[in-house]
Amino acid sequence: MHSSHEFGYRRGSLMPMQLVTAEEMRVLDRLAIDTFGIPSFTLMRRAAAGAAEMILRRFNRTQRRQVLVVAGKGNNGGDAMVCARLLATRRTPVTVALAARPEDLKGDAARAYKELRRAKVQVIPAVDPDALRRLLHKCTLVVDGLLGTGLNAPVVGYIADLIGAMNESGKPVAALDVPSGLDANVGVPLGTAVHAQATATFGFAKLGLVTYPGRAFAGDLTVIDIGIPPEAVERVQPRSWQIEPADVRRRLLVRPPTAHKGTCGHVLVIGGTAGHTGAALMAAEAAARVGAGLTTLAGPASLNAVLAAHIPEVMTALLPDDQGRFRFDPAAVTTVLDGKTAVVIGPGMGTTEDSALLVRFVLEKSNVPVVCDADALNCIARSPEVLRLASGRCVLTPHPGEMARLTGLSTVDVLQRRPQVAREFATRNRCVLVLKGATSLVVAEDGALWVNPTGNPGMASGGMGDVLAGVIGGLLAQGLRPIDAAIVGVFAHGAAGDSLARQFASVGYLATEVAKQIPRELDTLRVAG
């Protein structure tokens, strides 16, 4: 299975890509060996054969003119040595730089070394950083088999120097399983990590290879099937996936010929205070663009002329205010909630005490799904327990800074542990969480996690999050489950940005243009089915 990272995703893929943690992969390997009787060296040979094929396919003859395989002393080094032998049988000039003494090799790695020597492949044992630099100067392609998925502490000393030498060489690198030094679970370098142009990962894609920054360290990703029995996967039940087009397609509702605006949902957007009306307007437009039958924007009464003037298709409802800021009135909020099938709250609403009371009231009294975004999240951060009052199910859409406020962590902590932080929050608060960013994460109430592959740096501009909140709200209003609306929403939102980046410019397109592009992306997904 090959995954291209240019502007996101593989249009032809049929199933969601299974992702695993390093521990899950270890258990799967162990089950395959101990329970299902597959010799460990057979798994190593399959992994190495797939890696060799990836290298021959991905790198041209000029790049492969002199291959240097850097092998560690563990199983990743064993994979590398078997790969080197297989490349040599395909008439590829290969040298192996072994970062260990041969007598220190154990098990499958020792067997791989013996086979390598019998094949008369040149091996330079116990290579030091200076010797490696000399070898790197002569080679045209590096194969990284130094460290595997078991790394759980920062790389220091001798091994860090070897990684530094590989990176400093400027030579293209093909990594085996994971780039050495990269945390396979969260995709952050543990001190330092190899920058690869391509990675062949074994069995299943590791979570850290498809989330940033790990995705950038891995380069083009190829998943090598090593024959893990389906029964082993069933026992382990990994609960992470990369969203694929077919995964989105099967979640889309089919609109019957008899549909009318009254049967296609009514979304309520609450937001838009003085100076921030644009956020609420963008959320409302996005909800309408994604197909909600009716959209109502509820904002401060004194701003109605502004809110009502921009999108004729969106109705407005008036809420009491004080100089363009919300003034909480339970009776007025109850009135605007009546008859709605989903609520989006937060874009441009401010974080006054009245806004916080409004958010709390909506969560507690609304019996339909609620999307909490922007200022609603900052209000919730003051009293996170309000999420447990929610009578309908919630979808929260924080960026890392908002996630930090919701959890009491620093933004750096959130970025260093995105999957764990997102899972812990979603399960503890019984909500669907969309942790936005490069490769946004979608987490269900039970901890199941999806990584979104769509989107690009051109989407780093104001209003994109407001559009996403509106998209999810519009999908909820039409009857999608919260987790389904979040998965479809983040994928379509990012795909719309990718289309704009391809068609017009990589930077400079607007959030409102993304909203206008989303219907085309959803139609593309429907037609592809």
Side-chain angles (χ1 to χ4, degrees):
M1 185 185 297
H2 177 66
S3 178
S4 171
H5 287 154
E6 180 185 1
F7 292 134
Y9 58 96
R10 297 171 293 145
R11 287 186 178 272
S13 55
L14 299 175
M15 295 292 291
M17 181 195 287
Q18 180 74 69
L19 307 174
V20 297
T21 64
E23 178 58 30
E24 286 169 341
M25 194 64 233
R26 278 193 290 274
V27 175
L28 287 166
D29 280 337
R30 187 49 49 197
L31 283 170
I33 296 163
D34 293 344
T35 303
F36 297 98
I38 303 173
S40 59
F41 199 69
T42 297
L43 296 177
M44 181 173 284
R45 279 177 170 157
R46 290 172 181 170
E53 289 300 324
M54 181 277 283
I55 291 166
L56 292 169
R57 182 185 68 247
R58 170 64 173 75
F59 298 95
N60 62 39
R61 288 184 179 274
T62 300
Q63 292 169 309
R64 303 195 316 267
R65 191 170 62 246
Q66 182 59 56
V67 177
L68 178 66
V69 175
V70 182
K73 68 177 183 178
N75 282 342
N76 195 240
D79 297 330
M81 287 185 279
V82 177
C83 180
R85 180 174 59 78
L86 294 173
L87 288 172
T89 64
R90 301 286 288 271
R91 300 184 178 180
T92 300
V94 178
T95 299
V96 175
L98 181 61
R101 299 180 303 171
E103 57 267 30
D104 292 334
L105 300 175
K106 308 294 182 185
D108 290 339
R111 181 174 173 181
Y113 174 75
K114 290 176 183 176
E115 289 190 356
L116 191 66
R117 298 300 291 167
R118 283 198 295 270
K120 302 189 184 306
V121 174
Q122 183 182 18
V123 181
I124 300 174
V127 66
D128 62 62
D130 288 336
L132 181 61
R133 288 186 182 92
R134 290 191 291 272
L135 292 169
L136 288 164
H137 180 71
K138 298 175 184 177
C139 78
T140 53
L141 175 66
V142 184
V143 176
D144 163 35
L146 191 58
L147 301 171
T149 60
L151 186 68
N152 55 17
V155 179
V156 295
Y158 163 64
I159 297 297
D161 290 341
L162 296 182
I163 291 173
M166 283 190 271
N167 286 337
E168 291 160 12
S169 73
K171 302 299 172 65
V173 178
L176 303 187
D177 210 11
V178 297
S180 293
L182 191 72
D183 187 311
N185 295 327
V186 296
V188 298
L190 289 170
T192 186
V194 167
H195 283 270
Q197 278 65 52
T199 297
T201 195
F202 307 138
F204 298 96
K206 315 309 181 286
L207 186 55
L209 298 178
V210 299
T211 58
Y212 280 107
R215 188 163 129 176
F217 281 87
D220 291 337
L221 181 65
T222 301
V223 180
I224 307 300
D225 182 2
I226 60 172
I228 299 295
E231 296 84 356
V233 180
E234 183 62 28
R235 290 194 189 189
V236 175
Q237 294 190 336
R239 307 196 64 236
S240 305
W241 299 267
Q242 178 170 282
I243 306 170
E244 302 290 349
D247 197 35
V248 175
R249 188 180 310 123
R250 69 182 179 83
R251 287 175 160 86
L252 291 173
L253 296 175
V254 177
R255 183 168 290 189
T258 55
H260 57 83
K261 64 183 179 183
T263 62
C264 295
H266 190 165
V267 62
L268 174 68
V269 177
I270 303 175
T273 54
H276 301 282
T277 53
L281 286 164
M282 285 185 283
E285 178 178 355
R289 291 278 177 188
V290 83
L294 294 167
T295 304
T296 295
L297 173 54
S302 65
L303 300 178
N304 188 61
V306 176
L307 297 174
H310 286 75
I311 312 168
E313 297 86 354
V314 172
M315 299 176 287
T316 57
L318 310 183
L319 290 175
D321 73 310
D322 179 11
Q323 296 182 327
R325 295 177 296 179
F326 285 102
R327 179 167 56 81
F328 176 56
D329 182 331
V333 179
T334 299
T335 298
V336 298
L337 286 173
D338 185 47
K340 309 306 186 292
T341 55
V343 178
V344 177
I345 187 168
M349 76 177 298
T351 56
T352 64
E353 185 59 34
D354 277 70
S355 292
L357 291 171
L358 175 54
V359 171
R360 185 185 188 97
F361 185 84
V362 168
L363 288 175
E364 186 173 2
K365 300 301 182 182
S366 174
N367 58 3
V368 298
V370 179
V371 180
C372 297
D373 184 48
D375 288 334
L377 297 171
N378 294 323
C379 290
I380 292 169
R382 300 178 196 168
S383 305
E385 71 277 2
V386 302
L387 290 174
R388 308 211 177 164
L389 301 175
S391 54
R393 283 182 292 177
C394 296
V395 180
L396 274 64
T397 58
H399 57 56
E402 291 162 341
M403 193 75 230
R405 289 189 283 276
L406 285 166
T407 58
L409 300 170
S410 70
T411 302
V412 171
D413 287 337
V414 170
L415 291 171
Q416 290 286 320
R417 301 190 301 116
R418 291 174 72 227
Q420 294 97 316
V421 170
R423 271 187 162 131
E424 289 167 6
F425 187 89
T427 54
R428 184 171 65 250
N429 293 287
R430 295 176 298 142
C431 64
V432 172
L433 183 78
V434 177
L435 180 50
K436 296 183 292 194
T439 55
S440 293
L441 306 180
V442 180
V443 188
E445 299 172 32
D446 63 358
L449 180 148
W450 286 262
V451 177
N452 181 50
T454 64
N456 63 83
M459 299 180 77
S461 66
M464 294 291 178
D466 303 309
V467 168
L468 177 60
V471 167
I472 296 173
L475 293 168
L476 286 170
Q478 295 171 75
L480 268 69
R481 297 184 308 150
I483 186 62
D484 293 337
I487 289 170
V488 173
V490 296
F491 188 93
H493 179 256
D498 291 343
S499 289
L500 291 169
R502 283 191 295 265
Q503 295 168 28
F504 301 111
S506 60
V507 174
Y509 55 89
L510 304 178
T512 50
E513 293 168 327
V514 170
K516 290 177 175 65
Q517 180 68 27
I518 285 172
R520 297 188 184 95
E521 296 303 321
L522 293 176
D523 256 6
T524 297
L525 287 163
R526 290 188 182 98
V527 171

